[in-house]
Amino acid sequence: MANVTLRNVRKTYLGGFEAIKGVNVDVGDGQFCVLVGPSGCGKSTLLRMVAGLETVTGGEIDIGGRVVNQVEPADRDIAMVFQNYALYPHMSVFNNMAYGLRNRGMKETEIKSRVDEAARVLELTPMLERKPRQLSGGQRQRVAMGRAIVRQPKVFLFDEPLSNLDAKLRIAMRVEIRKLQRRLNTTSIYVTHDQLEAMTLADILVVMNGGQVEQVGNPLAIYEKP
Ligand code: ADP
Ligand code: ADP
Protein backbone atom coordinates (compact mmCIF):
# COMPACT_ATOMS: atom_id res chain seq x y z
CA MET A 1 0.00 0.00 0.00
CA ALA A 2 1.02 3.61 -0.47
CA ASN A 3 -0.34 7.07 -0.10
CA VAL A 4 -0.57 9.33 -3.16
CA THR A 5 0.05 13.04 -2.66
CA LEU A 6 -0.30 15.74 -5.30
CA ARG A 7 1.37 19.04 -4.43
CA ASN A 8 0.50 22.07 -6.51
CA VAL A 9 0.38 19.89 -9.64
CA ARG A 10 0.11 21.72 -12.94
CA LYS A 11 -0.25 20.79 -16.56
CA THR A 12 0.19 23.10 -19.51
CA TYR A 13 -0.20 21.27 -22.80
CA LEU A 14 2.00 22.02 -25.79
CA GLY A 15 0.41 25.04 -27.40
CA GLY A 16 -0.06 26.69 -24.01
CA PHE A 17 -3.44 25.40 -22.76
CA GLU A 18 -3.41 25.20 -18.96
CA ALA A 19 -5.44 22.05 -18.17
CA ILE A 20 -4.45 21.68 -14.48
CA LYS A 21 -3.92 24.82 -12.44
CA GLY A 22 -2.29 23.82 -9.17
CA VAL A 23 -3.99 20.80 -7.60
CA ASN A 24 -3.40 19.55 -4.03
CA VAL A 25 -4.80 16.16 -3.05
CA ASP A 26 -3.74 13.63 -0.42
CA VAL A 27 -4.99 10.05 -0.77
CA GLY A 28 -4.15 7.98 2.32
CA ASP A 29 -3.02 4.37 2.41
CA GLY A 30 -5.81 2.09 1.21
CA GLN A 31 -8.24 4.94 0.53
CA PHE A 32 -10.52 5.11 -2.48
CA CYS A 33 -10.39 8.59 -4.01
CA VAL A 34 -12.86 9.57 -6.72
CA LEU A 35 -12.24 12.49 -9.08
CA VAL A 36 -15.53 13.84 -10.33
CA GLY A 37 -16.47 16.85 -12.46
CA PRO A 38 -17.79 17.87 -15.87
CA SER A 39 -16.24 16.74 -19.12
CA GLY A 40 -13.06 18.70 -19.89
CA CYS A 41 -12.33 19.72 -16.28
CA GLY A 42 -9.00 17.84 -16.28
CA LYS A 43 -9.77 14.56 -14.48
CA SER A 44 -8.19 12.36 -17.08
CA THR A 45 -5.16 14.63 -17.42
CA LEU A 46 -4.58 14.40 -13.67
CA LEU A 47 -4.93 10.61 -13.62
CA ARG A 48 -2.63 10.23 -16.61
CA MET A 49 0.01 12.30 -14.87
CA VAL A 50 -0.17 9.99 -11.83
CA ALA A 51 0.16 7.05 -14.22
CA GLY A 52 3.15 8.65 -15.92
CA LEU A 53 1.37 8.71 -19.29
CA GLU A 54 1.54 12.50 -19.34
CA THR A 55 4.41 14.74 -18.25
CA VAL A 56 3.94 16.98 -15.20
CA THR A 57 4.73 20.62 -15.94
CA GLY A 58 4.61 21.88 -12.34
CA GLY A 59 4.49 20.62 -8.77
CA GLU A 60 5.09 17.15 -7.39
CA ILE A 61 3.41 13.77 -7.40
CA ASP A 62 4.48 11.58 -4.52
CA ILE A 63 3.65 7.85 -4.30
CA GLY A 64 4.57 6.01 -1.11
CA GLY A 65 6.83 8.84 0.05
CA ARG A 66 8.75 9.12 -3.20
CA VAL A 67 8.47 11.91 -5.79
CA VAL A 68 7.67 10.08 -9.02
CA ASN A 69 7.52 12.88 -11.59
CA GLN A 70 10.97 12.02 -12.83
CA VAL A 71 10.64 8.25 -12.44
CA GLU A 72 9.99 5.96 -15.36
CA PRO A 73 6.27 5.00 -15.46
CA ALA A 74 7.23 1.30 -15.34
CA ASP A 75 8.82 1.86 -11.92
CA ARG A 76 5.75 3.45 -10.35
CA ASP A 77 4.09 0.25 -9.23
CA ILE A 78 0.63 1.28 -10.38
CA ALA A 79 -1.96 -0.50 -12.52
CA MET A 80 -4.61 1.26 -14.57
CA VAL A 81 -8.05 0.09 -15.68
CA PHE A 82 -9.29 1.87 -18.80
CA GLN A 83 -12.71 2.60 -20.25
CA ASN A 84 -11.79 0.78 -23.45
CA TYR A 85 -10.49 -2.34 -21.85
CA ALA A 86 -9.67 -4.12 -25.13
CA LEU A 87 -8.98 -7.73 -24.23
CA TYR A 88 -6.94 -9.91 -26.58
CA PRO A 89 -9.73 -11.68 -28.48
CA HIS A 90 -7.72 -14.79 -29.38
CA MET A 91 -6.46 -15.41 -25.86
CA SER A 92 -8.25 -17.21 -23.06
CA VAL A 93 -9.30 -15.29 -19.95
CA PHE A 94 -6.35 -16.89 -18.18
CA ASN A 95 -3.90 -15.70 -20.80
CA ASN A 96 -5.42 -12.22 -20.94
CA MET A 97 -4.72 -11.89 -17.24
CA ALA A 98 -1.30 -13.56 -17.47
CA TYR A 99 -0.06 -11.54 -20.45
CA GLY A 100 1.47 -8.59 -18.59
CA LEU A 101 3.16 -10.85 -16.04
CA ARG A 102 4.67 -13.05 -18.76
CA ASN A 103 6.03 -9.90 -20.42
CA ARG A 104 7.85 -9.13 -17.19
CA GLY A 105 9.41 -12.58 -17.22
CA MET A 106 7.60 -13.84 -14.13
CA LYS A 107 7.78 -17.57 -13.41
CA GLU A 108 4.80 -19.56 -14.68
CA THR A 109 4.01 -21.03 -11.22
CA GLU A 110 3.81 -17.54 -9.72
CA ILE A 111 1.69 -16.33 -12.66
CA LYS A 112 -0.73 -19.22 -12.19
CA SER A 113 -1.05 -18.55 -8.48
CA ARG A 114 -1.75 -14.84 -9.04
CA VAL A 115 -4.26 -15.41 -11.85
CA ASP A 116 -6.08 -18.09 -9.86
CA GLU A 117 -6.30 -15.77 -6.85
CA ALA A 118 -7.58 -12.84 -8.94
CA ALA A 119 -10.10 -15.12 -10.67
CA ARG A 120 -11.36 -16.30 -7.28
CA VAL A 121 -11.81 -12.73 -6.03
CA LEU A 122 -13.56 -11.70 -9.26
CA GLU A 123 -15.59 -14.90 -9.51
CA LEU A 124 -14.08 -15.75 -12.89
CA THR A 125 -12.69 -19.18 -12.01
CA PRO A 126 -15.17 -21.13 -14.17
CA MET A 127 -14.38 -18.86 -17.14
CA LEU A 128 -10.59 -19.07 -17.26
CA GLU A 129 -10.50 -21.14 -20.44
CA ARG A 130 -13.09 -19.07 -22.30
CA LYS A 131 -12.37 -16.46 -24.95
CA PRO A 132 -13.60 -12.88 -24.41
CA ARG A 133 -16.40 -13.28 -26.96
CA GLN A 134 -17.85 -16.06 -24.79
CA LEU A 135 -18.27 -13.63 -21.87
CA SER A 136 -20.87 -11.04 -20.93
CA GLY A 137 -19.94 -7.34 -20.80
CA GLY A 138 -19.63 -7.40 -17.02
CA GLN A 139 -17.45 -10.51 -17.09
CA ARG A 140 -15.17 -8.85 -19.65
CA GLN A 141 -14.83 -5.77 -17.49
CA ARG A 142 -13.93 -8.07 -14.59
CA VAL A 143 -11.20 -9.67 -16.71
CA ALA A 144 -9.88 -6.17 -17.39
CA MET A 145 -9.78 -5.59 -13.63
CA GLY A 146 -8.12 -8.97 -13.21
CA ARG A 147 -5.28 -7.85 -15.45
CA ALA A 148 -4.66 -4.97 -13.05
CA ILE A 149 -5.10 -7.03 -9.87
CA VAL A 150 -2.59 -9.74 -10.83
CA ARG A 151 0.14 -7.12 -10.87
CA GLN A 152 -0.49 -6.53 -7.15
CA PRO A 153 0.32 -2.83 -7.50
CA LYS A 154 0.61 -0.30 -4.71
CA VAL A 155 -1.94 1.91 -6.45
CA PHE A 156 -4.92 1.31 -8.77
CA LEU A 157 -5.99 3.96 -11.24
CA PHE A 158 -9.40 3.75 -12.93
CA ASP A 159 -10.31 5.93 -15.92
CA GLU A 160 -14.12 5.80 -16.28
CA PRO A 161 -14.01 2.01 -16.33
CA LEU A 162 -17.80 1.57 -16.41
CA SER A 163 -18.84 4.18 -18.94
CA ASN A 164 -19.17 1.70 -21.81
CA LEU A 165 -21.55 -0.55 -19.89
CA ASP A 166 -25.35 -0.34 -19.82
CA ALA A 167 -27.06 1.23 -16.79
CA LYS A 168 -27.96 -2.01 -15.01
CA LEU A 169 -24.49 -3.43 -15.36
CA ARG A 170 -22.88 -0.21 -14.20
CA ILE A 171 -24.77 -0.43 -10.93
CA ALA A 172 -23.79 -4.07 -10.44
CA MET A 173 -20.14 -3.35 -11.26
CA ARG A 174 -20.09 -0.35 -8.96
CA VAL A 175 -21.02 -2.63 -6.07
CA GLU A 176 -18.39 -5.15 -7.16
CA ILE A 177 -15.64 -2.54 -7.30
CA ARG A 178 -16.53 -1.36 -3.80
CA LYS A 179 -16.40 -4.94 -2.50
CA LEU A 180 -13.12 -5.50 -4.26
CA GLN A 181 -11.66 -2.37 -2.73
CA ARG A 182 -12.67 -3.51 0.75
CA ARG A 183 -11.05 -6.89 0.15
CA LEU A 184 -7.78 -5.69 -1.42
CA ASN A 185 -7.50 -2.37 0.38
CA THR A 186 -5.29 -0.92 -2.35
CA THR A 187 -4.96 2.86 -2.62
CA SER A 188 -7.12 3.85 -5.59
CA ILE A 189 -7.90 6.88 -7.72
CA TYR A 190 -11.06 6.59 -9.80
CA VAL A 191 -12.23 9.05 -12.46
CA THR A 192 -15.89 9.45 -13.36
CA HIS A 193 -18.35 12.12 -14.47
CA ASP A 194 -21.19 10.18 -12.78
CA GLN A 195 -22.10 11.70 -9.39
CA LEU A 196 -23.91 8.62 -8.15
CA GLU A 197 -20.93 6.43 -8.96
CA ALA A 198 -18.71 8.91 -7.15
CA MET A 199 -20.98 8.92 -4.08
CA THR A 200 -21.08 5.14 -3.85
CA LEU A 201 -17.39 4.51 -4.27
CA ALA A 202 -15.53 7.37 -2.64
CA ASP A 203 -13.82 7.52 0.73
CA ILE A 204 -12.59 10.91 -0.43
CA LEU A 205 -14.31 12.83 -3.16
CA VAL A 206 -12.43 15.41 -5.21
CA VAL A 207 -14.75 17.71 -7.14
CA MET A 208 -12.94 19.37 -10.04
CA ASN A 209 -13.85 22.26 -12.29
CA GLY A 210 -11.80 24.13 -14.88
CA GLY A 211 -8.52 22.44 -13.97
CA GLN A 212 -8.88 23.17 -10.26
CA VAL A 213 -10.17 21.39 -7.18
CA GLU A 214 -13.47 22.89 -6.12
CA GLN A 215 -14.08 20.70 -3.06
CA VAL A 216 -12.41 17.78 -1.30
CA GLY A 217 -13.85 15.59 1.41
CA ASN A 218 -16.25 12.95 2.54
CA PRO A 219 -18.91 12.43 -0.19
CA LEU A 220 -21.86 12.72 2.19
CA ALA A 221 -20.59 16.01 3.60
CA ILE A 222 -20.09 17.41 0.10
CA TYR A 223 -23.45 16.43 -1.38
CA GLU A 224 -25.45 17.34 1.74
CA LYS A 225 -24.42 20.97 1.40
CA PRO A 226 -27.26 23.17 0.08
P1 ADP B 1 -11.77 15.30 -18.41
O1 ADP B 1 -11.07 14.00 -18.20
O2 ADP B 1 -12.21 15.93 -17.13
O3 ADP B 1 -12.90 15.22 -19.41
P2 ADP B 1 -9.32 16.07 -19.77
O4 ADP B 1 -8.27 15.89 -18.76
O5 ADP B 1 -9.48 15.01 -20.79
O6 ADP B 1 -10.72 16.34 -19.03
O7 ADP B 1 -9.09 17.44 -20.52
C1 ADP B 1 -8.91 18.67 -19.81
C2 ADP B 1 -8.69 19.79 -20.81
O8 ADP B 1 -7.43 19.62 -21.44
C3 ADP B 1 -9.74 19.85 -21.91
O9 ADP B 1 -10.03 21.18 -22.18
C4 ADP B 1 -9.05 19.20 -23.06
O10 ADP B 1 -9.52 19.71 -24.28
C5 ADP B 1 -7.59 19.57 -22.84
N1 ADP B 1 -6.67 18.57 -23.38
C6 ADP B 1 -6.68 17.25 -23.11
N2 ADP B 1 -5.68 16.62 -23.75
C7 ADP B 1 -5.02 17.58 -24.44
C8 ADP B 1 -3.88 17.58 -25.30
N3 ADP B 1 -3.21 16.45 -25.58
N4 ADP B 1 -3.49 18.75 -25.83
C9 ADP B 1 -4.14 19.90 -25.55
N5 ADP B 1 -5.22 19.97 -24.74
C10 ADP B 1 -5.65 18.82 -24.19
P1 ADP C 1 -5.43 -20.27 -26.65
O1 ADP C 1 -6.67 -21.06 -26.98
O2 ADP C 1 -5.56 -18.81 -26.92
O3 ADP C 1 -4.19 -20.88 -27.20
P2 ADP C 1 -5.47 -21.59 -24.12
O4 ADP C 1 -6.66 -21.40 -23.26
O5 ADP C 1 -5.41 -22.85 -24.93
O6 ADP C 1 -5.30 -20.33 -25.06
O7 ADP C 1 -4.18 -21.53 -23.20
C1 ADP C 1 -2.87 -21.55 -23.71
C2 ADP C 1 -1.89 -21.85 -22.57
O8 ADP C 1 -2.17 -21.01 -21.44
C3 ADP C 1 -2.02 -23.24 -22.02
O9 ADP C 1 -1.20 -24.14 -22.73
C4 ADP C 1 -1.54 -23.08 -20.61
O10 ADP C 1 -0.14 -23.10 -20.52
C5 ADP C 1 -1.98 -21.69 -20.23
N1 ADP C 1 -3.23 -21.77 -19.46
C6 ADP C 1 -4.45 -21.42 -19.87
N2 ADP C 1 -5.35 -21.59 -18.91
C7 ADP C 1 -4.68 -22.06 -17.85
C8 ADP C 1 -5.06 -22.43 -16.52
N3 ADP C 1 -6.31 -22.37 -16.07
N4 ADP C 1 -4.10 -22.87 -15.69
C9 ADP C 1 -2.82 -22.91 -16.11
N5 ADP C 1 -2.41 -22.58 -17.34
C10 ADP C 1 -3.32 -22.17 -18.20
Side-chain angles (χ1 to χ4, degrees):
M1 289 206 293
N3 68 308
V4 178
T5 307
L6 311 188
R7 282 189 218 96
N8 197 22
V9 170
R10 292 173 178 276
K11 176 68 182 185
T12 305
Y13 278 111
L14 286 176
F17 180 75
E18 202 182 7
I20 301 293
K21 305 167 181 170
V23 162
N24 293 288
V25 174
D26 194 5
V27 187
D29 241 16
Q31 276 191 318
F32 201 104
C33 170
V34 178
L35 304 181
V36 71
S39 178
C41 72
K43 305 179 295 293
S44 178
T45 299
L46 205 57
L47 196 74
R48 290 166 58 81
M49 285 196 285
V50 176
L53 299 171
E54 202 71 76
T55 58
V56 177
T57 54
E60 282 180 356
I61 297 176
D62 180 310
I63 299 177
R66 184 160 157 252
V67 176
V68 298
N69 304 17
Q70 313 301 336
V71 177
E72 287 297 311
D75 293 336
R76 288 189 188 189
D77 203 4
I78 53 130
M80 190 149 163
V81 181
F82 295 93
Q83 173 180 344
N84 299 308
Y85 48 86
L87 302 176
Y88 302 109
H90 304 296
M91 288 186 199
S92 65
V93 167
F94 183 96
N95 285 332
N96 265 282
M97 291 205 264
Y99 186 80
L101 302 181
R102 288 200 178 116
N103 268 353
R104 278 149 206 256
M106 188 178 283
K107 278 201 292 192
E108 205 60 32
T109 50
E110 172 68 9
I111 291 174
K112 178 160 177 18
S113 125
R114 287 193 183 198
V115 172
D116 285 345
E117 166 66 9
R120 197 182 53 74
V121 168
L122 294 164
E123 293 170 20
L124 287 169
T125 305
M127 289 135 207
L128 280 174
E129 303 302 330
R130 290 197 202 165
K131 299 289 167 62
R133 73 180 129 74
Q134 299 169 297
L135 303 176
S136 69
Q139 289 166 345
R140 280 183 212 154
Q141 183 52 276
R142 281 182 354 233
V143 177
M145 278 192 261
R147 285 200 299 206
I149 290 172
V150 293
R151 292 180 46 198
Q152 301 180 355
K154 282 191 186 145
V155 178
F156 284 126
L157 305 176
F158 298 89
D159 194 358
E160 307 224 18
L162 307 185
S163 51
N164 282 344
L165 304 178
D166 66 47
K168 202 173 147 200
L169 198 52
R170 287 177 70 129
I171 294 167
M173 286 301 296
R174 205 191 283 157
V175 174
E176 292 205 27
I177 290 175
R178 193 70 191 128
K179 278 202 305 208
L180 194 64
Q181 164 67 4
R182 293 219 175 89
R183 234 177 289 174
L184 300 178
N185 216 34
T186 306
T187 312
S188 302
I189 304 179
Y190 186 106
V191 162
T192 183
H193 59 266
D194 182 329
Q195 283 202 359
L196 207 55
E197 206 167 290
M199 281 280 287
T200 321
L201 290 171
D203 297 320
I204 333 165
L205 192 62
V206 175
V207 183
M208 293 183 63
N209 205 354
Q212 289 174 309
V213 172
E214 226 170 42
Q215 296 184 79
V216 189
N218 178 294
L220 287 173
I222 286 177
Y223 285 122
E224 268 170 9
K225 280 180 191 161

